[in-house]
Amino acid sequence: MEVRTCKSCGRMFNCIGRTPLCPACADEMEKKFQQVKEYVWEHRSATLQDISENNDVSVKQLRQWVREERLSFSDDSPVGLECEKCGATIKTGRYCEKCKNRLNSDLASVMKKPEAPKDKIKDPRDNKNRMRYLQ
Ligand SMILES: [Zn+2]
Ligand SMILES: [Zn+2]
């Protein structure tokens, strides 16, 4: 266990996991998050500024929740973030659908490469040769 200073209240606490907040503040933050989630649900046209002011949460914190995909906004909401790759407006996460798909297909092609079909084609022939040799 590691002793840390809480980022929110400045008190020392025994850190479990990677949270920068003491248990009391983490609890408070979780409550805030639930409150914000409900607020967003009820106020679909609220901007980040509105949400921040009405819930006493910093815009920075709100953005972080959105990046973590904990908080998301409906399509008619004015809230938007920029895709970290192309700058397109997105509602949650870090990338737009296009960039997400591209990243996924890049990943998929990287994953496929080591499994070249060469060996599979080679094997039957080897077996035949071996059979012929045996005969
Ligand atoms: Zn604290
Ligand atoms: Zn993008």
Side-chain angles (χ1 to χ4, degrees), residues 11-67:
R11 262 182 296 198
M12 304 280 272
F13 70 106
N14 286 323
C15 181
I16 308 160
R18 283 183 296 167
T19 169
L21 300 174
C22 72
C25 291
D27 225 47
E28 202 56 43
M29 195 56 100
E30 192 53 38
K31 268 187 218 148
K32 270 283 186 246
F33 174 70
Q34 294 304 332
Q35 183 191 325
V36 166
K37 222 166 112 176
E38 271 169 43
Y39 181 88
V40 169
W41 190 249
E42 283 164 19
H43 304 80
R44 282 167 181 265
S45 61
T47 62
L48 281 182
Q49 206 61 46
D50 292 336
I51 302 164
S52 164
E53 278 167 19
N54 288 304
N55 293 280
D56 194 26
V57 181
S58 69
V59 170
K60 205 178 143 210
Q61 180 61 61
L62 291 172
R63 281 174 172 270
Q64 196 190 316
W65 283 332
V66 178
R67 290 289 189 210

Side-chain angles (χ1 to χ4, degrees), residues 49-97:
Q49 206 61 46
D50 292 336
I51 302 164
S52 164
E53 278 167 19
N54 288 304
N55 293 280
D56 194 26
V57 181
S58 69
V59 170
K60 205 178 143 210
Q61 180 61 61
L62 291 172
R63 281 174 172 270
Q64 196 190 316
W65 283 332
V66 178
R67 290 289 189 210
E68 287 168 358
E69 295 192 31
R70 296 187 69 193
L71 203 61
S72 62
F73 298 93
S74 56
D75 286 340
D76 52 342
S77 160
V79 178
L81 293 176
E82 314 84 50
C83 164
E84 287 186 7
K85 265 199 130 42
C86 71
T89 304
I90 52 172
K91 298 296 180 189
T92 191
R94 299 173 59 192
Y95 305 112
C96 67
E97 282 305 311

